[in-house]
Amino acid sequence: MSDSDSSTDFPASKFDRGKIFAKTGLKVGANYARYLKDRVTNRKGDKTAQKAALNTQNAKDIYAELTKLRGTALKLAQSMSMDTGVLPDEFMDVMAQAQYKVPPMNQALVRKRIRDGLGRYPELLFDSFQGDAIAAASIGQVHRATLSDGRDVAVKVQYPNIRNTIESDLTVARQLFGRLVNGPYLDEYFEEVRSMLMLETDYENEAENIDFFADQYDYDGVVTPEAVHEYTSQTVLTMTFVEGQHMEEFLAGQPGQERRNHFGQLLWDFVHDQIASNYCTLHADAHPGNFLFRDDGRLGVIDFGCVKRFPQNFRDDMLRLWNARIHDNQDAIDTMLHKLDILHDEMNASTRERVTSFFERFGRLIVRPYRSDTFDFGDDAFYDELKACFKEGSQLRETSGSHHFIFINKVLVGLFSLMAQLRPTIDTRHSQDLLHQSVDALA
């Protein structure tokens, strides 16, 4: 296969990608038709098992097509794997593969992408280079290599035409969501997503993010890679290699509760160290593929493409809202809901009531871990409430809140999903102290 031919595995035009989206819809429709027929012809069958089989088949068909599309579409699959209670469990089980099992580019295309990005083929740049990818995700895939100075590195190679796919996918998504939701902020939300995805395709920007996190957060319990700038371009990123197990492999080893508690604590504190920092910078892609559980007890943090830098006033208002909720100060809560545009003047009375009711319930759940010195994330009752709350939120058909909430929510859902899998009991005193100190500094 020639270099020009090999790129056809990555449909970039709106038309080509639209055909795949349409094919997916037809497959799902056919599955549903078979399901209805089976219910009629097999009336004594197990209805729950029939519905589960439908969900599984739909999830497999959707996943198969999204992996062809990669890019924005595959990021949607990663989002589907989060434990939010909105999608059936069968979807989450299948879509979790999007963290680890994406079909990679062939080796000829990888060589071409490295030559185009760095000026030479990999065998001329690296002392050794593994042609088979060790990981493949939504925007690029990772290869292991060795530099001439002996350092082990990970080389991330971007799929071709990714920037074009972002524009075409978001155009389709904007049309779809425009039919499903109302409100004044939809265009701002899509612009926020588009801007962040474009930044994720700039590997030189990611290298700068790696430098920042290596400087700020590479402490005793956390290890991050270091960027190798001389072997990095917009489409090829080289960084030092971080050893460790992904969540799936870690849990398969049946770690004891003490080990689960240890890594859960590191995850919880890592996120809160960022929230409390005056840098207003957040690793905003909290999914299992981006964390490594190491034998030495440290938490490896990788993939710094999705890093959100918040305006200072937004970060400060979020802290004020948290503080108002902790102290059950309803007047302050109402003030912050308006200031953060969660409640706004264009809402009618009915919508305002639904949104207010949802955020009252949601807010009380989110601050529950901070109301005691320890919190058990293995509590099934807590997750049942959280799932029900997420499901209620998904049924709101009104956009509300600053567009900066998109990535706050991404971190929040991702963190609680990670905790749901680890099921640790953690000490929340450090995080409470950090947040209270940050609130006091605002006075």
mmCIF file of all heavy atoms in Angstrom, residues 105-131:
data_model
loop_
_atom_site.group_PDB
_atom_site.id
_atom_site.type_symbol
_atom_site.label_atom_id
_atom_site.label_comp_id
_atom_site.label_asym_id
_atom_site.label_seq_id
_atom_site.Cartn_x
_atom_site.Cartn_y
_atom_site.Cartn_z
ATOM 1 N N MET A 105 -2.584 2.706 12.917
ATOM 2 C CA MET A 105 -2.121 2.933 11.548
ATOM 3 C C MET A 105 -1.128 1.834 11.172
ATOM 4 O O MET A 105 -0.447 1.276 12.023
ATOM 5 C CB MET A 105 -1.382 4.272 11.439
ATOM 6 C CG MET A 105 -2.235 5.502 11.549
ATOM 7 S SD MET A 105 -1.246 7.018 11.296
ATOM 8 C CE MET A 105 -0.449 7.200 12.903
ATOM 9 N N ASN A 106 -1.018 1.577 9.864
ATOM 10 C CA ASN A 106 -0.006 0.628 9.429
ATOM 11 C C ASN A 106 1.382 1.284 9.500
ATOM 12 O O ASN A 106 1.517 2.512 9.560
ATOM 13 C CB ASN A 106 -0.311 0.109 8.025
ATOM 14 C CG ASN A 106 -0.239 1.202 6.970
ATOM 15 O OD1 ASN A 106 0.823 1.754 6.706
ATOM 16 N ND2 ASN A 106 -1.379 1.524 6.368
ATOM 17 N N GLN A 107 2.418 0.449 9.494
ATOM 18 C CA GLN A 107 3.769 0.947 9.741
ATOM 19 C C GLN A 107 4.275 1.871 8.634
ATOM 20 O O GLN A 107 5.043 2.805 8.907
ATOM 21 C CB GLN A 107 4.720 -0.234 9.936
ATOM 22 C CG GLN A 107 4.423 -1.022 11.210
ATOM 23 C CD GLN A 107 5.460 -2.090 11.503
ATOM 24 O OE1 GLN A 107 6.574 -2.055 10.989
ATOM 25 N NE2 GLN A 107 5.103 -3.056 12.343
ATOM 26 N N ALA A 108 3.847 1.631 7.400
ATOM 27 C CA ALA A 108 4.283 2.509 6.307
ATOM 28 C C ALA A 108 3.773 3.924 6.518
ATOM 29 O O ALA A 108 4.505 4.905 6.310
ATOM 30 C CB ALA A 108 3.782 1.958 4.970
ATOM 31 N N LEU A 109 2.525 4.041 6.955
ATOM 32 C CA LEU A 109 1.953 5.369 7.192
ATOM 33 C C LEU A 109 2.613 6.026 8.403
ATOM 34 O O LEU A 109 2.854 7.238 8.405
ATOM 35 C CB LEU A 109 0.447 5.259 7.384
ATOM 36 C CG LEU A 109 -0.311 6.580 7.599
ATOM 37 C CD1 LEU A 109 -0.011 7.581 6.484
ATOM 38 C CD2 LEU A 109 -1.812 6.320 7.686
ATOM 39 N N VAL A 110 2.938 5.237 9.412
ATOM 40 C CA VAL A 110 3.626 5.789 10.585
ATOM 41 C C VAL A 110 4.968 6.391 10.177
ATOM 42 O O VAL A 110 5.318 7.514 10.584
ATOM 43 C CB VAL A 110 3.845 4.694 11.653
ATOM 44 C CG1 VAL A 110 4.768 5.191 12.766
ATOM 45 C CG2 VAL A 110 2.505 4.260 12.239
ATOM 46 N N ARG A 111 5.733 5.686 9.378
ATOM 47 C CA ARG A 111 7.037 6.192 8.917
ATOM 48 C C ARG A 111 6.867 7.506 8.166
ATOM 49 O O ARG A 111 7.642 8.448 8.362
ATOM 50 C CB ARG A 111 7.738 5.164 8.028
ATOM 51 C CG ARG A 111 8.176 3.901 8.758
ATOM 52 C CD ARG A 111 8.889 2.933 7.826
ATOM 53 N NE ARG A 111 10.209 3.422 7.438
ATOM 54 C CZ ARG A 111 10.550 3.816 6.227
ATOM 55 N NH1 ARG A 111 9.648 3.789 5.234
ATOM 56 N NH2 ARG A 111 11.769 4.241 5.975
ATOM 57 N N LYS A 112 5.863 7.558 7.299
ATOM 58 C CA LYS A 112 5.618 8.781 6.522
ATOM 59 C C LYS A 112 5.223 9.938 7.437
ATOM 60 O O LYS A 112 5.685 11.068 7.257
ATOM 61 C CB LYS A 112 4.524 8.534 5.483
ATOM 62 C CG LYS A 112 4.194 9.757 4.633
ATOM 63 C CD LYS A 112 3.114 9.462 3.617
ATOM 64 C CE LYS A 112 2.868 10.656 2.700
ATOM 65 N NZ LYS A 112 2.430 11.864 3.422
ATOM 66 N N ARG A 113 4.368 9.670 8.423
ATOM 67 C CA ARG A 113 3.930 10.734 9.321
ATOM 68 C C ARG A 113 5.111 11.289 10.129
ATOM 69 O O ARG A 113 5.204 12.488 10.351
ATOM 70 C CB ARG A 113 2.852 10.207 10.271
ATOM 71 C CG ARG A 113 1.562 9.755 9.598
ATOM 72 C CD ARG A 113 0.830 10.911 8.955
ATOM 73 N NE ARG A 113 0.278 11.824 9.957
ATOM 74 C CZ ARG A 113 -0.123 13.058 9.691
ATOM 75 N NH1 ARG A 113 -0.007 13.561 8.462
ATOM 76 N NH2 ARG A 113 -0.626 13.816 10.632
ATOM 77 N N ILE A 114 6.035 10.406 10.551
ATOM 78 C CA ILE A 114 7.205 10.872 11.286
ATOM 79 C C ILE A 114 8.139 11.658 10.375
ATOM 80 O O ILE A 114 8.664 12.715 10.754
ATOM 81 C CB ILE A 114 7.930 9.685 11.950
ATOM 82 C CG1 ILE A 114 7.055 9.111 13.074
ATOM 83 C CG2 ILE A 114 9.302 10.110 12.486
ATOM 84 C CD1 ILE A 114 7.635 7.883 13.745
ATOM 85 N N ARG A 115 8.328 11.176 9.149
ATOM 86 C CA ARG A 115 9.176 11.918 8.211
ATOM 87 C C ARG A 115 8.588 13.292 7.919
ATOM 88 O O ARG A 115 9.305 14.306 7.896
ATOM 89 C CB ARG A 115 9.328 11.143 6.901
ATOM 90 C CG ARG A 115 10.309 11.781 5.909
ATOM 91 C CD ARG A 115 10.056 11.301 4.504
ATOM 92 N NE ARG A 115 8.735 11.740 4.030
ATOM 93 C CZ ARG A 115 8.173 11.315 2.891
ATOM 94 N NH1 ARG A 115 8.798 10.417 2.140
ATOM 95 N NH2 ARG A 115 6.989 11.762 2.522
ATOM 96 N N ASP A 116 7.270 13.353 7.718
ATOM 97 C CA ASP A 116 6.627 14.639 7.438
ATOM 98 C C ASP A 116 6.714 15.574 8.640
ATOM 99 O O ASP A 116 6.846 16.800 8.480
ATOM 100 C CB ASP A 116 5.148 14.431 7.074
ATOM 101 C CG ASP A 116 4.969 13.747 5.731
ATOM 102 O OD1 ASP A 116 5.955 13.669 4.970
ATOM 103 O OD2 ASP A 116 3.839 13.283 5.448
ATOM 104 N N GLY A 117 6.642 15.000 9.865
ATOM 105 C CA GLY A 117 6.645 15.840 11.050
ATOM 106 C C GLY A 117 8.028 16.250 11.522
ATOM 107 O O GLY A 117 8.224 17.370 12.003
ATOM 108 N N LEU A 118 9.013 15.336 11.385
ATOM 109 C CA LEU A 118 10.350 15.596 11.939
ATOM 110 C C LEU A 118 11.446 15.683 10.894
ATOM 111 O O LEU A 118 12.606 15.953 11.228
ATOM 112 C CB LEU A 118 10.705 14.510 12.966
ATOM 113 C CG LEU A 118 9.784 14.401 14.189
ATOM 114 C CD1 LEU A 118 10.251 13.270 15.103
ATOM 115 C CD2 LEU A 118 9.718 15.713 14.956
ATOM 116 N N GLY A 119 11.094 15.435 9.638
ATOM 117 C CA GLY A 119 12.073 15.621 8.566
ATOM 118 C C GLY A 119 12.831 14.386 8.165
ATOM 119 O O GLY A 119 13.465 14.363 7.096
ATOM 120 N N ARG A 120 12.807 13.339 8.995
ATOM 121 C CA ARG A 120 13.511 12.100 8.665
ATOM 122 C C ARG A 120 12.685 10.906 9.131
ATOM 123 O O ARG A 120 11.823 11.037 10.010
ATOM 124 C CB ARG A 120 14.896 12.064 9.332
ATOM 125 C CG ARG A 120 15.902 13.022 8.708
ATOM 126 C CD ARG A 120 17.292 12.822 9.297
ATOM 127 N NE ARG A 120 17.356 13.273 10.682
ATOM 128 C CZ ARG A 120 18.386 13.035 11.493
ATOM 129 N NH1 ARG A 120 19.416 12.315 11.059
ATOM 130 N NH2 ARG A 120 18.378 13.483 12.734
ATOM 131 N N TYR A 121 12.985 9.738 8.553
ATOM 132 C CA TYR A 121 12.292 8.523 8.964
ATOM 133 C C TYR A 121 12.749 8.114 10.368
ATOM 134 O O TYR A 121 13.850 8.480 10.802
ATOM 135 C CB TYR A 121 12.567 7.397 7.964
ATOM 136 C CG TYR A 121 11.848 7.564 6.638
ATOM 137 C CD1 TYR A 121 12.545 7.820 5.461
ATOM 138 C CD2 TYR A 121 10.454 7.467 6.576
ATOM 139 C CE1 TYR A 121 11.881 7.974 4.249
ATOM 140 C CE2 TYR A 121 9.780 7.611 5.369
ATOM 141 C CZ TYR A 121 10.498 7.868 4.213
ATOM 142 O OH TYR A 121 9.828 8.032 3.012
ATOM 143 N N PRO A 122 11.921 7.353 11.093
ATOM 144 C CA PRO A 122 12.234 7.051 12.496
ATOM 145 C C PRO A 122 13.553 6.324 12.701
ATOM 146 O O PRO A 122 14.255 6.562 13.692
ATOM 147 C CB PRO A 122 11.039 6.195 12.950
ATOM 148 C CG PRO A 122 10.375 5.719 11.705
ATOM 149 C CD PRO A 122 10.612 6.796 10.709
ATOM 150 N N GLU A 123 13.936 5.438 11.758
ATOM 151 C CA GLU A 123 15.174 4.688 11.942
ATOM 152 C C GLU A 123 16.413 5.589 11.852
ATOM 153 O O GLU A 123 17.505 5.215 12.300
ATOM 154 C CB GLU A 123 15.273 3.545 10.916
ATOM 155 C CG GLU A 123 15.237 3.992 9.471
ATOM 156 C CD GLU A 123 13.826 4.012 8.891
ATOM 157 O OE1 GLU A 123 12.858 4.136 9.670
ATOM 158 O OE2 GLU A 123 13.710 3.916 7.648
ATOM 159 N N LEU A 124 16.243 6.784 11.293
ATOM 160 C CA LEU A 124 17.346 7.745 11.209
ATOM 161 C C LEU A 124 17.337 8.728 12.384
ATOM 162 O O LEU A 124 18.317 9.443 12.597
ATOM 163 C CB LEU A 124 17.272 8.520 9.885
ATOM 164 C CG LEU A 124 17.345 7.681 8.613
ATOM 165 C CD1 LEU A 124 17.169 8.561 7.380
ATOM 166 C CD2 LEU A 124 18.679 6.940 8.552
ATOM 167 N N LEU A 125 16.254 8.758 13.124
ATOM 168 C CA LEU A 125 16.114 9.682 14.245
ATOM 169 C C LEU A 125 16.394 9.022 15.589
ATOM 170 O O LEU A 125 16.987 9.634 16.486
ATOM 171 C CB LEU A 125 14.692 10.263 14.271
ATOM 172 C CG LEU A 125 14.312 11.243 13.162
ATOM 173 C CD1 LEU A 125 12.790 11.440 13.149
ATOM 174 C CD2 LEU A 125 15.002 12.583 13.388
ATOM 175 N N PHE A 126 15.955 7.765 15.724
ATOM 176 C CA PHE A 126 16.004 7.090 17.014
ATOM 177 C C PHE A 126 16.995 5.935 16.980
ATOM 178 O O PHE A 126 17.220 5.318 15.929
ATOM 179 C CB PHE A 126 14.611 6.575 17.403
ATOM 180 C CG PHE A 126 13.563 7.656 17.450
ATOM 181 C CD1 PHE A 126 12.673 7.835 16.393
ATOM 182 C CD2 PHE A 126 13.480 8.499 18.538
ATOM 183 C CE1 PHE A 126 11.708 8.834 16.427
ATOM 184 C CE2 PHE A 126 12.525 9.506 18.591
ATOM 185 C CZ PHE A 126 11.633 9.680 17.528
ATOM 186 N N ASP A 127 17.582 5.650 18.139
ATOM 187 C CA ASP A 127 18.505 4.528 18.235
ATOM 188 C C ASP A 127 17.766 3.217 18.005
ATOM 189 O O ASP A 127 18.298 2.274 17.426
ATOM 190 C CB ASP A 127 19.170 4.537 19.615
ATOM 191 C CG ASP A 127 20.454 3.749 19.637
ATOM 192 O OD1 ASP A 127 21.279 3.945 18.729
ATOM 193 O OD2 ASP A 127 20.622 2.927 20.556
ATOM 194 N N SER A 128 16.500 3.150 18.496
ATOM 195 C CA SER A 128 15.608 2.033 18.193
ATOM 196 C C SER A 128 14.188 2.577 18.148
ATOM 197 O O SER A 128 13.869 3.570 18.814
ATOM 198 C CB SER A 128 15.718 0.922 19.247
ATOM 199 O OG SER A 128 15.249 1.374 20.512
ATOM 200 N N PHE A 129 13.342 1.930 17.365
ATOM 201 C CA PHE A 129 11.952 2.375 17.208
ATOM 202 C C PHE A 129 11.078 1.158 16.956
ATOM 203 O O PHE A 129 11.343 0.373 16.042
ATOM 204 C CB PHE A 129 11.819 3.355 16.039
ATOM 205 C CG PHE A 129 10.425 3.908 15.866
ATOM 206 C CD1 PHE A 129 10.001 5.010 16.583
ATOM 207 C CD2 PHE A 129 9.531 3.297 14.989
ATOM 208 C CE1 PHE A 129 8.715 5.514 16.439
ATOM 209 C CE2 PHE A 129 8.241 3.795 14.829
ATOM 210 C CZ PHE A 129 7.827 4.908 15.556
ATOM 211 N N GLN A 130 10.054 0.976 17.795
ATOM 212 C CA GLN A 130 9.135 -0.148 17.629
ATOM 213 C C GLN A 130 8.039 0.225 16.645
ATOM 214 O O GLN A 130 7.269 1.160 16.886
ATOM 215 C CB GLN A 130 8.517 -0.529 18.977
ATOM 216 C CG GLN A 130 9.506 -1.113 19.965
ATOM 217 C CD GLN A 130 8.856 -1.563 21.258
ATOM 218 O OE1 GLN A 130 7.630 -1.598 21.370
ATOM 219 N NE2 GLN A 130 9.666 -1.916 22.238
ATOM 220 N N GLY A 131 7.966 -0.521 15.540
ATOM 221 C CA GLY A 131 6.981 -0.219 14.506
ATOM 222 C C GLY A 131 5.553 -0.473 14.930
ATOM 223 O O GLY A 131 4.620 0.168 14.445
#
